[in-house]
Amino acid sequence: MDQRMRALCDMAVALMRDGGGRHEYDGVVQDLSPAGVASGLAALGGPAYDDPYDDALVAAKEAEARAVYGELQMHRWNPLLHVQNLDLASYDREYAPAAERADARARHLAAWPDGVAAALDALDQVTAPVAAATVDAARGLAAGLVRGRDAAEDAALDAQARLVAHLEAAAVDGSPDAALGGAALTRLLSAAEATPVDLAELAAQADAERDRLQAMAAAACERIEPGRPPAELLPELLRDHPDPDGVLAETRALTEEVIAWTKEHDLAPYHDGECRVGVTPESRQWAVAMMSWAAPGEPPGPSWYHVTPPRPEWSAAEQSEWLQLFSRTTLPAITVHEVAPGHFSHGVALRHASSLQRQLALSEAFTEGWAHYVEEVAVEEGFHADDPRFALGVAVEALVRVTRLACAIGLHTGTMTVDDATRRFERDAFLAGPAARSEAQRGTFDPTYGRYTWGKLTIRALRERARSQWDGDFSLPRFHKAMLDLGAPPLGLLEYAL
């Protein structure tokens, strides 16, 4: 790795280790103290690359790092950057022999006290809403650790307790205002995706997309049971789900189905690789489902589609509510998103990318936008065409994501409170109170969580340009390969696919 790429990767250690497969970072906790961040920023930059796209790609990611850590100083107010830095779950994947991974995990755990000291040095601007929304993630770091097992583990748990206490105090004493401000949000989105952003225009696009998706949901409901609107029919459909013991079995069957269907329709450029299904590692069980792909820097190995069944100690009512997330209406759409042609297929394509830059310098808006875009491609191409629940599930999942975009803009420009955002999730995305509030709270610490819809809309617009420009030579396989051969391009660089 050349020095320019090394400096960029040094600013994203956890991401490079887990998503990029750069295991020279095993056992390493990034220095996210103010001094450590300043040193990392100073090292960014270097000679231009011969390939103009690769050079533009790395320049975009450097600009993003300077915005996130230099201008907006997110390490001072977003605890999740520090939680992800400490997280041990990446060592659960089978990318190396068990003993080698166990040694790396032990070195990482031994570095927790220094990592927490850096976090406490940095986190002096945590607002009360952000602290309240992220403290459970900090508590979850201790999953699987046992006090009294050895001195290093005890020291790590003591450090983690200090981080939790810091966030608990901020949840009480921190500023009640979590808004970044319109200028800061614009800068963050523009830098991350190498494109100018107009928040008012983006909000208008979100409203128009919401209206389209609500019509799609209504049409699907009309096919299922004429005369019944989504708000009335959907709760019944969500109660049709596997039991706790059946979640993994149904997910495995769907995984095999979407991989075979994607290959048959050639909707992703590469079809090698193995995807297994398993329970989410304990420290990441805040997520309902997630893909942990075989990273491009690793030898061939399995990717993991992780799902989180309800915990056995929960009440029957709590388990039933959680299982609605795996309903037979929504689980197929989630599996298309996470597996094929979504994240698993994208991860396979990254292993075929032609340069290190394309394998490692990834846009979150493209990565999530691609997986979200292919959900509706599956509807268009006839996946489960005889079961209108699939189209309804796609519409429902999309309504949550488009509401995230609207609420991110509202929360951070000051036109919405968390209560306002909660009501919008209830009204526009059919979410019940606790789920709606959780989504609204996420917007306080994840201001770019509208990236799913933003990425999807940008890809769809590019597809229409390609259809016009390529005329009779247009096909979905050609278009998808042209994009994925770029890696995960920032939205402002997507036109290189044409």
Side-chain angles (χ1 to χ4, degrees):
M1 190 184 295
D2 66 87
Q3 186 54 43
R4 186 179 178 191
M5 277 298 295
R6 174 65 65 197
L8 184 61
C9 292
D10 285 349
M11 292 298 295
V13 166
L15 179 62
M16 290 302 111
R17 176 175 55 238
D18 196 14
R22 301 301 305 191
H23 293 292
E24 63 265 48
Y25 291 113
D26 279 9
V28 175
V29 171
Q30 184 176 342
D31 183 358
L32 288 174
S33 68
V37 166
S39 177
L41 290 173
L44 291 175
Y49 295 108
D50 292 337
D51 183 285
Y53 170 73
D54 286 355
D55 189 62
L57 177 60
V58 173
K61 297 303 291 184
E62 290 166 342
E64 179 185 12
R66 292 185 180 106
V68 167
Y69 289 107
E71 298 170 48
L72 303 180
Q73 298 192 319
M74 289 179 67
H75 58 296
R76 297 180 64 183
W77 61 264
N78 190 341
L80 277 195
L81 295 176
H82 301 273
V83 171
Q84 291 162 357
N85 191 31
L86 299 171
D87 186 21
L88 300 168
S90 62
Y91 304 110
D92 293 339
R93 286 194 307 106
E94 300 166 352
Y95 63 84
E100 185 178 322
R101 290 183 284 117
D103 176 69
R105 183 182 182 277
R107 287 185 283 114
H108 195 132
L109 190 65
W112 270 24
D114 288 341
V116 169
L120 298 181
D121 189 21
L123 288 170
D124 59 354
Q125 297 179 7
V126 186
T127 65
V130 168
T134 58
V135 66
D136 278 346
R139 293 186 182 115
L141 288 168
L145 301 180
V146 179
R147 188 170 290 281
R149 186 155 51 191
D150 62 51
E153 201 157 332
D154 286 349
L157 285 168
D158 289 342
Q160 181 251 358
R162 291 192 291 274
L163 176 60
V164 170
H166 183 78
L167 298 182
E168 289 173 338
V172 175
D173 301 327
S175 167
D177 184 6
L180 288 176
L185 180 61
T186 299
R187 177 63 187 137
L188 178 60
L189 296 177
S190 299
E193 299 303 325
T195 188
V197 171
D198 182 323
L199 293 181
E201 181 180 335
L202 202 54
Q205 289 177 350
D207 287 347
E209 180 67 357
R210 174 203 58 199
D211 295 345
R212 186 185 74 85
L213 291 167
Q214 288 184 335
M216 178 179 169
C221 286
E222 188 66 18
R223 289 181 60 200
I224 297 167
E225 193 168 333
R228 295 191 69 189
E232 182 181 309
L233 180 58
L234 189 60
E236 291 183 17
L237 295 174
L238 295 182
R239 287 193 288 271
D240 176 22
H241 53 69
D243 61 26
D245 294 332
V247 168
L248 288 178
E250 291 203 19
T251 305
R252 288 191 180 103
L254 279 167
T255 295
E256 292 178 5
E257 182 184 8
V258 299
I259 289 174
W261 183 83
T262 296
K263 183 176 182 179
E264 178 187 353
H265 290 260
D266 200 22
L267 293 175
Y270 307 100
H271 304 287
D272 51 322
E274 175 189 5
C275 184
R276 299 179 184 174
V277 176
V279 175
T280 309
E282 278 195 71
S283 65
R284 294 182 178 177
Q285 290 197 358
W286 48 266
V288 176
M290 63 190 304
M291 174 55 55
S292 182
W293 61 40
E298 298 168 355
S303 298
W304 280 93
Y305 175 22
H306 286 132
V307 295
T308 308
R311 299 189 69 85
E313 66 269 20
W314 290 356
S315 70
E318 289 171 327
Q319 290 197 29
S320 179
E321 183 178 356
W322 184 260
L323 285 168
Q324 291 185 26
L325 301 168
F326 300 100
S327 77
R328 295 181 175 97
T329 297
T330 53
L331 185 57
I334 293 170
T335 304
V336 167
H337 179 104
E338 297 293 341
V339 182
H343 288 316
F344 167 67
S345 296
H346 188 187
V348 171
L350 288 174
R351 296 180 63 85
H352 290 269
S354 61
S355 69
L356 195 64
Q357 292 81 3
R358 299 179 192 212
Q359 290 183 336
L360 298 180
L362 309 184
S363 151
E364 288 191 0
F366 179 83
T367 299
E368 295 297 352
W370 162 262
H372 190 28
Y373 155 79
V374 295
E375 296 167 30
E376 201 161 339
V377 168
V379 174
E380 295 163 354
E381 295 299 301
F383 184 72
H384 284 200
D386 58 347
D387 185 354
R389 290 181 303 174
F390 178 68
L392 177 59
V394 168
V396 167
E397 292 293 308
L399 281 166
V400 173
R401 282 151 182 162
V402 76
T403 307
R404 288 175 182 169
L405 178 57
C407 289
I409 295 170
L411 286 166
H412 290 285
T413 58
T415 61
M416 280 188 198
T417 65
V418 170
D419 287 341
D420 294 332
T422 299
R423 286 189 289 270
R424 178 135 181 177
F425 276 105
E426 290 173 334
R427 184 193 72 210
D428 289 357
F430 309 114
L431 291 183
R437 187 155 193 89
S438 176
E439 283 286 350
Q441 289 174 326
R442 177 178 167 183
T444 63
F445 64 83
D446 189 0
T448 67
Y449 81 152
R451 56 189 172 268
Y452 298 79
T453 298
W454 186 24
K456 178 189 75 172
L457 294 176
T458 305
I459 291 170
R460 287 176 68 90
L462 187 79
R463 185 175 69 180
E464 295 315 302
R465 286 180 58 196
R467 198 185 303 274
S468 173
Q469 185 169 318
W470 296 348
D471 197 18
D473 292 328
F474 175 86
S475 69
L476 282 181
R478 179 187 176 189
F479 176 62
H480 292 171
K481 186 177 189 303
M483 288 192 298
L484 293 182
D485 280 353
L486 297 176
L491 302 184
L493 303 184
L494 252 180
E495 63 183 27
Y496 277 85
L498 302 186

